[in-house]
Amino acid sequence: MLPVALGLISLLPSAFAELRNFDLNIVSTPLAPDGFERSVIAPNGTYPGPTFMVNKGDSVDIAMHNQLVDPSMRRSTSIHWHGFFQARTSYADGPSFVNQCPIPPNTTFHYAFDTAGQTGNYWYHSHLSTQYCDGLRGAFAVYDPEDPLGDLYDVDDETTIITLSDWYHVVAPEAQADFFQSGTVPIPDSGLINGVGRYVGGPEVPYAVINVEQGKRYRFRVFALSCRPFFTWSIDNHNLTVMELDGVEHDPVTVQNVDIYAAQRFSAVVEANQPVDNYWMRAPPTGGVGGAAGNPNFNPNLTLAIVRYAGAPDAEPTSNNTGILGIKLDDANMHPIASENPGKLGSGPPDIFFELNIAQPNPPFFDINNISYISPTLPVLLQILSGAAQPQDFLPSDQVLLITPNATIEVSIPGTGAHPFHLHGHNFDVIRQPNSNVTNFVNPPRRDVTPINGGNTTFRFKADNPGAWFLHCHIDWHLEAGLAVVFAESPSLNLEGSPFAQTTPKDWEDLCPDYNALAPELQ
C-alpha cells in the first residue's frame, strides 16, 4: 500500500474488489464490418474486440496471446489500456518502446493491473506503430455500484456501450507508407457504430440496433476508437445529458450533440421519451477527412445506427430531426462533481511549465520544439529502471522530459489542427480550452484527451505517479509521424527499494531480448 502522506496515487484495495482473469487472443482473420472483406487484427476474432466490464476496485490479469500470422500487417504487438493510471505497473501501460518491447508472435504476455478506484469509460488498443487501425481496439467499462450520479439513469449495461470508429480497406502498413510518400493522411473508407457501417457503392450492411423502452433513461457510454477523425454524436429527437468525460464524472449538462475526438469517451443519459418508433443515431466523422474528394468510398453521413423503441417496426428510421443542428457540448461548461475535488491543483504558479510548439517543417513529419519523436531502441521505462535519472541519461534525451515528485505540471500547446493530445498515467485539468482566453482554475473539466484546436490550450496535472508516460497526438498517423514526447516521472522512485517501485514481471523482462532476436518480417 502506498503512503498517502506523500501525495502519490494510492493502491488502497476496495472491500469488494475482485481479481478478474481474462484471455485475449489476438488473431488475424477476414472480417467485413462495412461489407468489404479484408484481413483484420481481431481481438478474440471480432471487431471491435470484446468489451471488458469490471466493477470499481477490481484488478485484472489479462493473458494476451499473440497469434498473428498475416504477413501484410505487423505481427508483433502491444496493448495500451487507455486511461488507467497504472500506479506501480507502468510496465503494463503498453506503448512499444516507452513501457515495453513489442510482444512477438506465438507469445503469451500478462497485463496485470489494478483499476485502483477508477470508474467510467476506458478502452484498449494496440500501441505499436499504426497497428490499431487494422482492428486491435475495444471498449473497457468500469462500473460503480454506488455511482454518485446513479439516480440519473435506469439502464447501464452491455446494451448501452456505443463504439465509434473509422475503417480502412487498406492495411495500415500500406496506408502508412502511402502517407509518408504523399503527405496525405489516410482517409477512411467508412465510419462504424458498434462495429458496422456502410461505404459508397457497398452492400447495405444492416445497421447496429440499440433497443430501448419508452419511459426509461439510458446511460450511453460512448467510445471514440478512432485512428483519425472526430465524430459528432447525436440521436434524432432526443436530448443528451452528458455526465462523464474520460472516466471522470461531471455535473450534468444537457445538449443535442457532442464532438468526440480520437480516444475520448463520455457518458450521456438519454430519456426514451418520444413516440414509439425508430430514430437515427448519427456520428458523422469529421475533422479533415475529405469526403469523396479524398476517398470516393467515404460518406460521413452513412455513419448511423438505429435506436428502436420496443413495439416499433423492424425498419430503418425516417427521422430527420438531427441533433447536429442543436446545441453542441462545450467542454468549458463541464465541471467535475464535488467528490472529484474540482480545481484541486489551485491557481498558483506551476512547479514545472512546458510549452510544446508543434511544427511541420518537413511534411508529413511533425516536430515538437524542433524535435520529431522517434521510438528509442530501449524502452524509456527500462532506461529508468537501469538508472537513468537526468535528462542527459536518456536516449534520445531531447524527447524525454523529466518531472519531479508531487510537482504541479502545466503544459501549454499552442496551435491548430484538431490534434487530440493524450497523456498516459494521469488525467489533467484543462484550465484553458482551445480558442479561449479564459483560464479556469476553480472547476475546469478533467479528462485524459483534449484537442489542440486553436489558441493556447493549457492543462495541469500532479506528478503523483512515478513511471514513463507518453504524451502524444492520438491521430495514430500523426503519432507515427513524430507528434509525441515522453515524461520520465520521478525516476528514482521507480527503483527497487522505493515504496513506489515498479512491478517488473519475468515475461516483461523477456520481451526485449525475444523481440530483438526476431526476423524483421515477424516484428
Side-chain angles (χ1 to χ4, degrees), residues 399-415:
Q399 297 176 165
V400 179
L401 306 178
L402 189 67
I403 54 178
T404 52
N406 289 316
T408 296
I409 312 299
E410 183 169 305
V411 178
S412 287
I413 310 180

Side-chain angles (χ1 to χ4, degrees), residues 70-252:
D70 189 329
S72 71
M73 298 178 288
R74 294 294 294 259
R75 292 187 57 191
S76 293
T77 193
S78 71
I79 299 180
H80 173 46
W81 308 93
H82 184 116
F84 289 108
F85 297 151
Q86 300 286 6
R88 298 184 66 194
T89 52
S90 187
Y91 88 90
D93 193 46
S96 293
F97 307 111
V98 176
N99 302 83
Q100 65 171 91
C101 282
I103 302 157
N106 303 311
T107 300
T108 293
F109 181 79
H110 286 260
Y111 286 101
F113 58 92
D114 194 334
T115 61
Q118 292 182 260
T119 63
N121 298 330
Y122 305 91
W123 66 298
Y124 64 97
H125 59 85
S126 168
H127 222 303
L128 172 63
S129 184
T130 53
Q131 188 184 54
Y132 87 74
C133 304
D134 280 325
L136 206 176
R137 24 182 169 164
F140 197 130
V142 183
Y143 293 84
D144 184 355
E146 299 178 351
D147 183 2
L149 298 181
D151 61 347
L152 295 178
Y153 54 87
D154 306 305
V155 181
D156 177 25
D157 57 24
E158 66 277 1
T159 70
T160 60
I161 299 286
I162 306 296
T163 62
L164 312 177
S165 53
D166 47 350
W167 193 248
Y168 302 81
H169 293 172
V170 174
V171 295
E174 182 180 339
Q176 179 182 314
D178 289 345
F179 168 42
F180 285 172
Q181 183 174 10
S182 70
T184 300
V185 178
I187 296 168
D189 292 279
S190 60
L192 311 180
I193 299 180
N194 285 0
V196 291
R198 297 177 183 175
Y199 64 96
V200 175
E204 292 193 352
V205 176
Y207 285 119
V209 175
I210 296 92
N211 292 297
V212 300
E213 295 181 26
Q214 192 178 46
K216 290 188 175 180
R217 302 165 301 166
Y218 294 80
R219 176 179 176 171
F220 286 109
R221 296 171 176 259
V222 185
F223 302 76
L225 315 183
S226 176
C227 281
R228 181 184 184 184
F230 70 86
F231 303 85
T232 301
W233 187 77
S234 67
I235 301 175
D236 285 6
N237 295 38
H238 292 76
N239 289 331
L240 320 171
T241 299
V242 181
M243 42 79 74
E244 178 236 348
L245 303 176
D246 295 355
V248 181
E249 293 200 338
H250 286 63
D251 295 329

Side-chain angles (χ1 to χ4, degrees), residues 122-467:
Y122 305 91
W123 66 298
Y124 64 97
H125 59 85
S126 168
H127 222 303
L128 172 63
S129 184
T130 53
Q131 188 184 54
Y132 87 74
C133 304
D134 280 325
L136 206 176
R137 24 182 169 164
F140 197 130
V142 183
Y143 293 84
D144 184 355
E146 299 178 351
D147 183 2
L149 298 181
D151 61 347
L152 295 178
Y153 54 87
D154 306 305
V155 181
D156 177 25
D157 57 24
E158 66 277 1
T159 70
T160 60
I161 299 286
I162 306 296
T163 62
L164 312 177
S165 53
D166 47 350
W167 193 248
Y168 302 81
H169 293 172
V170 174
V171 295
E174 182 180 339
Q176 179 182 314
D178 289 345
F179 168 42
F180 285 172
Q181 183 174 10
S182 70
T184 300
V185 178
I187 296 168
D189 292 279
S190 60
L192 311 180
I193 299 180
N194 285 0
V196 291
R198 297 177 183 175
Y199 64 96
V200 175
E204 292 193 352
V205 176
Y207 285 119
V209 175
I210 296 92
N211 292 297
V212 300
E213 295 181 26
Q214 192 178 46
K216 290 188 175 180
R217 302 165 301 166
Y218 294 80
R219 176 179 176 171
F220 286 109
R221 296 171 176 259
V222 185
F223 302 76
L225 315 183
S226 176
C227 281
R228 181 184 184 184
F230 70 86
F231 303 85
T232 301
W233 187 77
S234 67
I235 301 175
D236 285 6
N237 295 38
H238 292 76
N239 289 331
L240 320 171
T241 299
V242 181
M243 42 79 74
E244 178 236 348
L245 303 176
D246 295 355
V248 181
E249 293 200 338
H250 286 63
D251 295 329
V253 172
T254 298
V255 295
Q256 282 76 53
N257 72 78
V258 181
D259 287 343
I260 178 170
Y261 288 80
Q264 290 186 325
R265 297 87 61 210
F266 68 84
S267 289
V269 176
V270 176
E271 183 176 0
N273 58 5
Q274 296 300 300
V276 171
D277 206 342
N278 295 291
Y279 298 88
W280 285 122
M281 177 184 288
R282 303 175 191 267
T286 52
V289 290
N295 184 340
N297 288 338
F298 179 70
N299 178 353
N301 296 317
L302 294 178
T303 310
L304 300 166
I306 299 169
V307 176
R308 176 165 295 150
Y309 278 62
D314 183 3
E316 290 193 353
T318 58
S319 62
N320 59 12
N321 182 22
T322 171
I324 292 173
L325 302 177
I327 298 171
K328 184 181 296 297
L329 181 70
D330 182 348
D331 269 19
N333 294 328
M334 297 296 292
H335 310 299
I337 62 174
S339 60
E340 293 285 356
N341 194 11
K344 64 182 180 181
L345 299 179
S347 59
D351 298 305
I352 301 175
F353 173 78
F354 296 103
E355 181 171 277
L356 304 181
N357 292 289
I358 299 171
Q360 202 173 17
N362 183 29
F365 300 100
F366 287 91
D367 289 355
I368 292 180
N369 294 352
N370 301 315
I371 300 296
S372 185
Y373 180 82
I374 300 173
S375 293
T377 55
L378 191 68
V380 175
L381 179 62
L382 186 54
Q383 295 184 49
I384 290 172
L385 297 179
S386 300
Q390 301 300 322
Q392 63 271 20
D393 298 338
F394 290 93
L395 298 173
S397 60
D398 44 14
Q399 297 176 165
V400 179
L401 306 178
L402 189 67
I403 54 178
T404 52
N406 289 316
T408 296
I409 312 299
E410 183 169 305
V411 178
S412 287
I413 310 180
T416 60
H419 299 291
F421 263 71
H422 169 49
L423 175 62
H424 293 229
H426 297 270
N427 52 29
F428 46 70
D429 285 359
V430 187
I431 61 173
R432 185 179 304 131
Q433 296 292 320
N435 293 308
S436 174
N437 293 320
V438 176
T439 302
N440 178 6
F441 294 112
V442 177
N443 55 5
R446 185 173 301 153
R447 58 189 321 162
D448 59 51
V449 180
T450 192
I452 308 306
N453 199 19
N456 191 18
T457 308
T458 304
F459 58 83
R460 285 187 169 193
F461 67 97
K462 194 77 167 177
D464 57 3
N465 190 21

